[in-house]
Amino acid sequence: MSNLTLKNINKIYPNGFQAVYDFNLDIKHGEFITLVGPSGCGKSTTLRMIAGLENISEGEFYIGDTLANDLNPKQRGIAMVFQSYALYPNLSVFENLAFGLELQGLDEEIIEERVIKTAKILGLETYLDRKPRELSGGQCQRVAVGRAIIRKVDIFLMDEPLSNLDAKQRVTMRSEIIDIHRKVGSTTIYVTHDQTEAMTMSDRIVVMKDGYVQQVGTPKELYFEPVNLFVAGFIGEPPMNFVPCHLENESLLFNEASVSLNLVSKFPQIKEHKELYFGFRPEHALVKYDDPSIGVEVEGFVELTELLGDNTNVYTKIGEHNVILKVDPHDAPKVDSTFKFLIPYESMYFFDKETERVIK
Ligand code: ATP
């Protein structure tokens, strides 16, 4: 039972490239933490430093009260699941699961008991005699997870474990991993570039960009209270709409003044900022509403609609700027028609154009 602490962690690779800057995080025992961000932002590097596979250039990493910077991977009580599964191709599922326990020199009976128990948790009981090549991607992934949990360690690290699976398998494995995490009760640190995985699985999410932590928070905090333009645009699908605008005589002017919204009386905090981005999420715009006083009404022209089943994406513009609205398919306006939509005040965000930070 141990908390993990990362204090002012920096990673500079031998070629001089700095991949991680001043990473700080306290992880409570049992938490499911996800590191998310675009390719190359430093997620795997951070995970590998926690695993002991990559040395920490600067800063301190604690497991409980123990400074762990110089502990080797084995001493850290950590199990890691990789994207590639890393199974032994010539060993059966049983042997793959048993391998680590045999190395520990455990009794055959105990090994068998633990393999069967783990196979049950993962629904692999009927596959124990098969070789990895006789399994689907999802089943291989389950064996890889099984190899981690069978070791009964306190900390699991997972690096893009679902990226080799098809979309349907990913959804299934997502809930299986959450279920296993609950059953086993260990701390899990999970790396992905997929914001949906991060949002659906995590207790807390760490959003990274270019080696810097942008924000740490619960999925709800990141969705409703993003601290900057990057986080606001990264979390949510389709992403938040951003419309450049500037402030003149108490009015927000969009796209060379073709649209003007008087929002300063409602949001006095924007007065201090001349150039801004106005933001709202596609799913928060309304095309059917009784009370226009709860927001601002905008006239749009429908350029394209995409029916996705449970909702329709409507492509339109504010002034000259493209925006997407996500609406109930029954309410979707027709292509090539003009229509009105409402952006509720409570769903509006403003960002300073220069700092890209949210204006609160
Ligand atoms: P991905 O999602 O593509 O795996 P990531 O966020 O996990 O990306 P990292 O693998 O941590 O990113 O890499 C972060 C940065 O460090 C990248 O720019 C990468 O090119 C660089 N990098 C990784 N390993 C090394 C290395 N051994 N030497 C030098 N630079 C490296």
Side-chain angles (χ1 to χ4, degrees):
M1 296 278 172
S2 40
N3 297 342
L4 304 179
T5 310
L6 292 102
K7 255 192 188 165
N8 310 111
I9 301 278
N10 289 278
K11 175 66 188 180
I12 304 160
Y13 279 110
N15 66 357
F17 180 79
Q18 181 149 3
V20 177
Y21 294 84
D22 200 26
F23 190 109
N24 287 286
L25 187 66
D26 286 317
I27 302 173
K28 286 192 268 317
H29 179 82
E31 259 194 302
F32 196 116
I33 294 279
T34 300
L35 310 182
V36 71
S39 182
C41 70
K43 313 177 289 286
S44 298
T45 301
T46 305
L47 199 73
R48 291 170 63 80
M49 287 193 283
I50 295 171
L53 300 172
E54 206 57 78
N55 77 307
I56 294 169
S57 311
E58 280 167 27
E60 291 156 9
F61 170 51
Y62 291 91
I63 301 179
D65 295 328
T66 310
L67 183 63
N69 288 44
D70 296 325
L71 297 184
N72 67 39
K74 275 200 183 138
Q75 294 167 315
R76 296 187 185 203
I78 281 174
M80 189 149 171
V81 180
F82 296 92
Q83 177 178 348
S84 60
Y85 313 145
L87 302 180
Y88 298 105
N90 299 324
L91 301 187
S92 67
V93 170
F94 186 101
E95 290 160 340
N96 263 288
L97 291 172
F99 191 82
L101 305 182
E102 277 162 7
L103 285 186
Q104 287 175 25
L106 295 183
D107 267 4
E108 228 170 83
E109 261 173 42
I110 294 178
I111 293 178
E112 186 167 342
E113 192 187 310
R114 291 229 324 238
V115 168
I116 288 170
K117 197 171 159 203
T118 305
K120 266 193 189 143
I121 293 177
L122 293 157
L124 288 167
E125 304 103 300
T126 52
Y127 302 102
L128 286 170
D129 294 331
R130 292 206 198 171
K131 299 271 166 61
R133 65 170 177 279
E134 297 164 329
L135 300 175
S136 70
Q139 289 160 346
C140 284
Q141 190 56 65
R142 261 182 262 163
V143 180
V145 172
R147 285 194 353 166
I149 63 174
I150 203 164
R151 290 179 46 204
K152 293 195 172 165
V153 295
D154 274 348
I155 305 154
F156 290 127
L157 307 182
M158 302 195 183
D159 195 350
E160 305 251 8
L162 309 187
S163 55
N164 289 333
L165 305 182
D166 66 35
K168 235 182 188 161
Q169 284 176 323
R170 277 212 295 274
V171 174
T172 313
M173 272 310 286
R174 233 159 55 193
S175 49
E176 284 185 17
I177 289 178
I178 300 167
D179 195 40
I180 292 162
H181 170 79
R182 288 209 188 105
K183 279 185 191 147
V184 178
S186 307
T187 307
T188 303
I189 308 175
Y190 188 97
V191 159
T192 180
H193 61 271
D194 179 344
Q195 64 92 30
T196 312
E197 266 175 37
M199 289 295 278
T200 51
M201 299 174 81
S202 321
D203 292 319
R204 284 190 301 154
I205 301 172
V206 180
V207 183
M208 295 181 75
K209 181 190 169 216
D210 298 336
Y212 289 93
V213 172
Q214 303 291 306
Q215 188 170 1
V216 180
T218 62
K220 216 168 163 182
E221 281 164 352
L222 296 189
Y223 181 81
F224 287 106
E225 298 162 44
V227 296
N228 62 26
L229 202 69
F230 179 79
V231 176
F234 193 81
I235 301 291
E237 182 55 37
M240 186 184 281
N241 294 300
F242 299 118
V243 190
C245 51
H246 70 274
L247 198 65
E248 215 172 277
N249 302 328
E250 306 268 298
S251 279
L252 270 186
L253 304 183
F254 294 80
N255 306 105
E256 283 74 50
S258 61
V259 179
S260 148
L261 301 178
N262 188 353
L263 291 170
V264 177
S265 52
K266 204 85 191 165
F267 299 100
Q269 68 272 32
I270 62 178
K271 262 189 188 167
E272 314 289 317
H273 306 260
K274 197 115 187 81
E275 299 291 329
L276 309 92
Y277 287 104
F278 168 66
F280 66 98
R281 295 201 180 275
E283 56 274 33
H284 292 159
L286 304 173
V287 286
K288 216 174 175 189
Y289 46 91
D290 298 325
D291 182 6
S293 71
I294 61 163
V296 289
E297 247 180 345
V298 184
E299 197 166 279
F301 177 79
V302 185
E303 303 193 332
L304 179 77
T305 60
E306 278 174 350
L307 172 65
L308 298 170
D310 56 345
N311 58 64
T312 294
N313 289 338
V314 177
Y315 291 73
T316 183
K317 281 190 161 77
I318 292 183
E320 290 306 306
H321 205 84
N322 295 325
V323 295
I324 302 179
L325 320 178
K326 189 170 167 180
V327 305
D328 187 310
H330 300 104
D331 302 335
K334 292 205 162 38
V335 180
D336 287 340
S337 69
T338 48
F339 73 116
K340 280 192 173 148
F341 61 97
L342 189 84
I343 308 169
Y345 292 122
E346 62 173 22
S347 311
M348 293 180 181
Y349 293 85
F350 300 92
F351 302 88
D352 183 273
K353 201 167 188 178
E354 196 180 319
T355 63
E356 300 194 347
R357 294 197 68 76
V358 74
I359 302 167
K360 283 198 181 152

